Each structure stands twice: as structure tokens, then as C-alpha cells.
Amino acid sequence: MREIHVDRITQAVRDMVMDACVNLGPDMVRALDRARQTEKSPLGLAVLDEIVENAELARAERIPMCQDTGTAVFFVDVGQDVHIVGGLLADAINEGVRRGYRDGYLRASIVGDPFKRVNTKDNTPAVIHADIVAGDRIRIAFTAKGAGSENMGRLQMLKPSDGKEGVTKFVLETIKLAGPNACPPLVVGVGIGGSFDKVASLAKHAIMRDVGTPSHDPDVAAYERELLEKANQLGLGPQGMGGTTTALAIHVETYPCHVASLPVAVNIQCHANRHREVVL
């Protein structure tokens, strides 16, 4: 049994939170560079240039690339041969968020009650999805999820007879309804299958993947390419100004489901796709 002290978790979370909000990941930089080579609209290209310039300035000046530094969302895989000592996993993660948002001068956006709307002032609590896996390591994946894109997410319990055509229609409809509100070009996570709660988690997990990394399932990977091509034919373009780059990537995650159900969820990520991963 391998022991990991909660202080290591807190420090890792603090560092990844601060870095993600000021330093756009290499996967996004590559995706934006590719988009600049293929964008057909002069206005769309100008917007992409400004997005890249903004990211470069944020990195150089160590300031947030977007004023909405988001809800802190984590997917944590805990090896069953790990013993966490010194406290609780959730407490360690939340303390890391608290320190990261404080030390990085990042905006606190979380209210403690959805009706009373009183700010918690430290961006806690985080949203934590934890799973027990094989091994003696802890894998922590983080994303700072801004409200502009998060508010554009949708979920629907389709009928099995709706099939792939129904799923495609729903995904494209969701992207079109989001319009400029989600700050395209987008990274789109699509969950298919499972249950009402599981499919939302699948969609969220899908946006954590490095941008453009295809599914391991060749059929799903082909469907991702199909959805991306159709999304970029919608004409929304960068920041909704028109163009051929509405989405940089569409990632699909699937899960077995009930014979009478076809759940589908779409979670949209903006061009400030802030995500990090660490293994302890």
C-alpha cells in the first residue's frame, strides 16, 4: 500500500489551477494554429489571430486569459493500492483550489446557495468526480469551466428509434443555439448512453481530452469527424462572427444504456479551454 499525504494533493491542485488559467495548453495552441491555416473568412481569421494574441499575452504577463476563471471541475482516479493520509481527498482538493485562486489572483465565481447567491469568496467548493481504479497512483484532471459555455450545455433522453440521426440533430442544434454565447471556436463534449446522470458526466469528461485526440473506438472516432465537419458547416465561426471554424474538436464518449433509452448530453467548452492533468 502506497501512502500519499493530502499536502501533496493540495499543492498539485494549487499549481495546476494557477497555471491552467494563464497558460493555454499546447493542444489548444496547435488546434488554433491549424484553424488559422484553414479559416476561409477574413473576419474569422482576424478573430483567431486576436485569440492567439490574447493567449500569448496571458502567458507572458501571467494574467488570466479570461476574466471568468470558472467553476473548478475535477476528475480523479484513485488507485485502489493508494492510502491517502492526513485528511480527506475532497478537503485537500478544495484547499488547493482555495490557495490557487487566492495566490493566482483569479476571480472567485462560486455562490454558496443557488438562491441566496452569496459568494464563497474562494471559488470553493469544487465539483469533484472520483473513481477507484487499479494501481497505486492518483490521477487528477482539472478544468476551469466558464459559465458562458457551461450555460449552453443541454441533455435529452432520446428514444432508441431516434438513433444516430437523432443524436446528430441534437448535437448540431445545441451548437447552433449556443451561437456566440459560448465563445467559439468550441471544444464540444458529447456523451451518449448510460443514464440521466451518467450521460452528463460523459459529456463533461469528453472535454478533458487533449483537443483533437480521437476516440479509441474507430467507429466513434469516425463519428467525431462527421460531427466536426457538420458543425463547421453551420457558419457561426470564431466568436460567432462567421466563418468555417465553429469548433476545433468534438469528442464523443459512450456508455452502455437501457434498452428503452438513448440519453445524449452536450457540454460545450469555449476557446479558453483551460485543462490540466497530474499524476501523483
Side-chain angles (χ1 to χ4, degrees):
M1 183 67 69
R2 178 170 174 261
E3 291 189 350
I4 297 180
H5 198 279
V6 290
D7 288 350
R8 287 191 62 194
I9 298 171
T10 293
Q11 185 64 39
V13 168
R14 172 196 176 273
D15 293 346
M16 69 198 305
V17 161
M18 291 175 61
D19 187 57
C21 286
V22 303
N23 190 9
L24 194 62
D27 60 325
M28 278 297 293
V29 172
R30 289 191 296 268
L32 287 168
D33 283 343
R34 287 194 297 268
R36 292 163 81 191
Q37 300 301 317
T38 59
E39 176 56 56
K40 293 181 172 55
S41 164
L43 180 56
L45 179 58
V47 173
L48 287 172
D49 289 342
E50 289 187 0
I51 289 172
V52 171
E53 182 181 357
N54 178 74
E56 291 172 348
L57 181 62
R59 181 182 298 109
E61 299 293 334
R62 302 297 296 176
I63 55 177
M65 68 188 76
C66 177
Q67 51 82 24
D68 183 354
T69 49
T71 299
V73 180
F74 294 87
F75 283 85
V76 186
D77 291 335
V78 182
Q80 63 180 0
D81 296 323
V82 170
H83 181 207
I84 298 172
V85 297
L88 298 176
L89 173 64
D91 290 345
I93 291 174
N94 278 314
E95 181 59 25
V97 170
R98 186 174 294 112
R99 295 181 189 180
Y101 276 76
R102 177 198 65 201
D103 297 347
Y105 301 98
L106 308 176
R107 194 185 84 184
S109 302
I110 302 303
V111 294
D113 183 278
F115 292 123
K116 295 178 181 177
R117 312 301 290 184
V118 178
N119 199 300
T120 63
K121 301 187 185 306
D122 59 10
N123 222 60
T124 66
V127 176
I128 304 170
H129 305 268
D131 198 11
I132 303 298
V133 299
D136 62 355
R137 298 287 186 269
I138 299 177
R139 173 184 169 271
I140 306 173
F142 161 76
T143 184
K145 196 66 175 63
S149 60
E150 186 73 353
N151 289 348
M152 297 299 105
R154 298 170 74 216
L155 186 155
Q156 189 166 345
M157 302 298 290
L158 297 178
K159 303 183 298 295
S161 59
D162 292 323
K164 184 180 285 188
E165 287 186 4
V167 172
T168 300
K169 179 181 177 182
F170 180 74
V171 172
L172 297 177
E173 180 183 78
T174 300
I175 295 171
K176 189 173 182 179
L177 286 172
N181 296 321
C183 295
L186 311 170
V187 176
V188 182
V190 180
I192 306 170
S195 56
F196 183 90
D197 53 322
K198 179 65 175 180
V199 76
S201 178
L202 289 172
K204 179 76 72 183
H205 194 264
I207 65 171
M208 309 289 280
R209 197 192 305 170
D210 278 354
V211 176
T213 304
S215 168
H216 295 300
D217 184 321
D219 291 335
V220 175
Y223 187 45
E224 291 173 336
R225 293 191 297 271
E226 176 187 336
L227 286 173
L228 181 60
E229 181 178 353
K230 291 180 177 179
N232 285 329
Q233 292 172 356
L234 293 174
L236 294 173
Q239 291 295 79
M241 298 291 186
T244 56
T245 313
T246 296
L248 298 171
I250 296 183
H251 298 158
V252 177
E253 297 286 341
T254 66
Y255 197 82
C257 63
H258 193 281
V259 65
S261 297
L262 179 56
V264 56
V266 179
N267 194 240
I268 295 177
Q269 181 64 291
C270 65
H271 66 75
N273 180 21
R274 298 155 294 190
H275 66 105
R276 286 294 183 277
E277 181 180 317
V278 67
V279 177
L280 302 177

